[in-house]
Amino acid sequence: MRRFMPGLRPLVLCLLALGPGARVYAQQPATASQVLRLMGCRFELTAVATTDTIAWQAIRAGVAEIQRIERLISSWDENSQTSAINRNAGVQPMRVDRELYDLIYRAKKVSQLTHGAFDISFASMDKIWHFDGTMLSLPTPEAVAEARQYINWQDIELNPTAQTVFLRRAGMKIGFGAIGKGYAANRAKALLQALPGVQGGLVNASGDLISWGTPPTDAGWVIKIADPKNKHQVLGWLQIGDMAVVTSGDYERYLEFDGVRYAHIIDPRTGYPTTGIKSVTVVCPDAELADALATSVFVLGKTAGLELVNQLKGVACLIVTDDDELFSSTDLQLNYYSSSTNN
Ligand code: AMP
Ligand code: MG
């Protein structure tokens, strides 16, 4: 574990976007970039291509792909296959598209890897915890315990032959809030990458981002990390190639009761939201894995979280605690603007 100097107190973490609005540059190669709302959050797509037309075609294809994925995995949309699985909890297995089946299969693998810290069946807690400013007091321990008993990734039954998903117990519910944006970013990237004439790009799903190939300028793909104390100041930056950089931790979505700050991530062991960590950034080649791991580290906490990340080849992370202290895994390549830091 590398601990940073107390002088570097302030935390992170909004990844600064590359720029506002939609625009096209006249140079070669051509770059198109668009910001829009998808999956209930801010997305930015950038495509570098041989011509403007191709760059814009790529952006449109990426947007359509993300919208398609949203229709499949949303647990808010009653018509999605995910909602059908939830409605049939304890009733019957549901046949779903291979794509959704595989996503759930991979989510269960992350549960296994994290000893249940990551669990898409956290969603049974939806009715207890609300992170929209409407909660005025903590729920009763009885209410938390009652809802918590339905969290168990091992009760998500998958049948590969029938391609069905069955939540074994009535009251169970799944949700992809911790992995869906990363998955969508991966898929949009793969689609753009396969288009003839597209040389590089970036998909940024509200801080879950992945880049690849030729960058828009000689500066390369530079991911800036803002100092949350002053959003206009940059704390440090990462120079990345084909890589995902994913941040969990939304400063507007937390609860505070009796001086305790609760993040919007549920600890499946207790049914309570996690405490102690403000944000986690994970860097690895896969946005879906990075997304799932960033959420997992919140639950595991600083020590166990860093231990896990340090065991995973090609994965690095940065943790900001509630005390505004920074901790990183052993191989994080973060650059600092300030010369007083011990990077
Ligand atoms: P992220 O911002 O990627 O960390 O995702 C946070 C979202 O993941 C929450 O808003 C929930 O929808 C969902 N979630 C909360 N707790 C868990 C958990 N323990 N495992 C998986 N998903 C979770
Ligand atoms: Mg996540």
Side-chain angles (χ1 to χ4, degrees):
M1 183 191 309
R2 189 198 306 168
R3 185 170 179 161
F4 291 86
M5 288 165 67
L8 187 70
R9 308 252 12 239
L11 32 159
V12 194
L13 288 174
C14 23
L15 296 160
L16 296 179
L18 290 178
R23 60 192 188 279
V24 175
Y25 302 98
Q27 335 109 299
Q28 288 293 328
T31 300
S33 185
Q34 186 167 16
V35 173
L36 71 171
R37 247 185 124 64
L38 296 164
M39 299 177 101
C41 60
R42 178 190 190 277
F43 268 71
E44 176 174 13
L45 287 90
T46 299
V48 180
T50 43
T51 68
D52 286 352
T53 310
I54 292 174
W56 279 111
Q57 275 168 355
I59 298 281
R60 280 195 293 275
V63 170
E65 176 68 351
I66 294 161
Q67 287 167 334
R68 186 191 65 76
I69 290 167
E70 183 177 9
R71 284 193 293 276
L72 185 66
I73 70 171
S74 167
S75 45
W76 306 107
D77 178 354
E78 282 185 12
N79 299 315
S80 74
Q81 293 187 12
T82 303
S83 292
I85 294 170
N86 287 336
R87 268 197 306 277
N88 285 282
V91 179
Q92 60 178 334
M94 292 305 289
R95 186 176 168 81
V96 296
D97 288 358
R98 187 86 226 169
E99 181 180 2
L100 182 58
Y101 181 94
D102 289 345
L103 178 65
I104 296 172
Y105 177 85
R106 293 193 301 275
K108 285 187 70 175
K109 284 280 166 207
V110 179
S111 297
Q112 206 173 8
L113 176 74
T114 61
H115 305 291
F118 181 86
D119 192 330
I120 55 170
S121 69
F122 82 93
S124 62
M125 303 303 303
D126 270 5
K127 48 187 185 297
I128 303 291
W129 297 106
H130 307 286
F131 299 93
D132 54 4
T134 55
M135 280 189 80
L136 302 177
S137 60
L138 280 172
T140 64
E142 293 76 24
V144 174
E146 205 281 325
R148 199 212 67 81
Q149 58 172 317
Y150 299 107
I151 308 180
N152 187 354
W153 61 275
Q154 291 177 62
D155 279 338
I156 305 171
E157 193 178 291
L158 296 178
N159 180 329
T161 318
Q163 209 171 290
T164 55
V165 183
F166 180 41
L167 307 183
R168 285 197 188 117
R169 304 174 60 203
M172 284 182 74
K173 186 179 174 190
I174 55 170
F176 297 103
I179 193 170
K181 281 188 284 148
Y183 173 62
N186 268 357
R187 288 295 301 230
K189 174 217 161 183
L191 191 137
L192 264 67
Q193 203 172 18
L195 294 176
V198 179
Q199 299 163 330
L202 180 139
V203 181
N204 183 355
S206 285
D208 291 13
L209 70 84
I210 187 159
S211 66
W212 79 97
T214 308
T217 69
D218 291 344
W221 295 116
V222 175
I223 309 304
K224 294 173 180 168
I225 297 180
D227 180 347
K229 272 191 179 162
N230 179 353
K231 283 187 182 170
H232 304 293
Q233 267 189 354
V234 175
L235 174 71
W237 80 94
L238 290 159
Q239 176 101 38
I240 58 169
D242 291 18
M243 197 58 78
V245 181
V246 168
T247 298
S248 262
D250 184 339
Y251 298 111
E252 274 113 48
R253 292 190 71 215
Y254 64 89
L255 300 170
E256 213 165 284
F257 292 114
D258 302 326
V260 180
R261 184 186 167 110
Y262 297 92
H264 66 290
I265 291 167
I266 304 295
D267 184 337
R269 296 166 296 194
T270 63
Y272 280 81
T274 60
T275 57
I277 292 181
K278 244 179 207 169
S279 82
V280 177
T281 299
V282 171
V283 184
C284 78
D286 184 292
E288 176 188 316
L289 180 66
D291 194 358
L293 287 177
T295 309
S296 306
V297 171
F298 255 93
V299 178
L300 291 169
K302 182 184 71 190
T303 308
L306 284 175
E307 213 168 277
L308 171 73
V309 168
N310 281 330
Q311 279 167 13
L312 299 173
K313 204 163 174 276
V315 183
C317 87
L318 175 71
I319 298 173
V320 182
T321 67
D322 276 352
D323 305 329
D324 296 346
E325 286 187 300
L326 305 182
F327 295 87
S328 81
S329 59
T330 44
D331 53 357
L332 184 76
Q333 305 295 326
L334 187 64
N335 306 288
Y336 291 94
Y337 281 114
S338 163
S339 56
S340 64
T341 60
N342 65 338
N343 58 327

